Amino acid sequence: MERVYTTPRLDKLGIRPGMRVAVVDLEDAAFEAELRDRTHDVTHGEPLPDTDVVVFAADSHEALGRLPALRERIVANGAIWVVSRKGKAATIRDVDVMNAAKAAALVDNKVASFDEARTSLRLVIHVALRPAR
């Protein structure tokens, strides 16, 4: 029997009211509506400085090359969610995302289903690399 999860998507992604969120290369009207109900600080494309969460759609190794630039835009305890196709439609694997993350001085620490066709992997700045408060 397949387990059914009922946690709202934005809760799984850790997006709280008032957070600064950037949506990069992702066209999803349903997600956009959910996001607008949760926070009004949403940008599309290039994230603003001090962004809390970047939701980044990537389905190629070339796209993953953007991770270092995205890392520079998040707050020290922020996150980049890499959203990609899952299953037989996948064009990159989770290990590809993890390797690209490592090259960008990021570490993966959570995976969550984004929707029926896509998965998401959270990348963060390793605690040891975060600036002192």
Side-chain angles (χ1 to χ4, degrees), residues 5-16 26-35 38 53 55 81 83 110-120:
Y5 295 93
T6 58
T7 303
R9 177 168 39 185
L10 295 183
D11 290 347
K12 288 192 291 185
L13 300 179
I15 298 174
R16 296 183 304 277
L26 178 70
E27 299 294 328
D28 184 320
F31 177 69
E32 190 71 30
E34 292 172 38
L35 197 52
R38 180 74 53 105
V53 176
V55 182
W81 282 96
V83 179
K110 185 175 181 180
V111 66
S113 177
F114 190 79
D115 58 25
E116 292 291 322
R118 295 176 290 190
T119 187
S120 56

Side-chain angles (χ1 to χ4, degrees), residues 3 24 26 35 50 56-57 66 81 86 91-92 97 103 116 123 131:
R3 185 171 176 184
V24 180
L26 178 70
L35 197 52
D50 298 324
F56 172 47
R66 294 186 63 191
W81 282 96
K86 62 183 173 183
T91 52
I92 57 174
V97 177
E116 292 291 322
L123 309 177

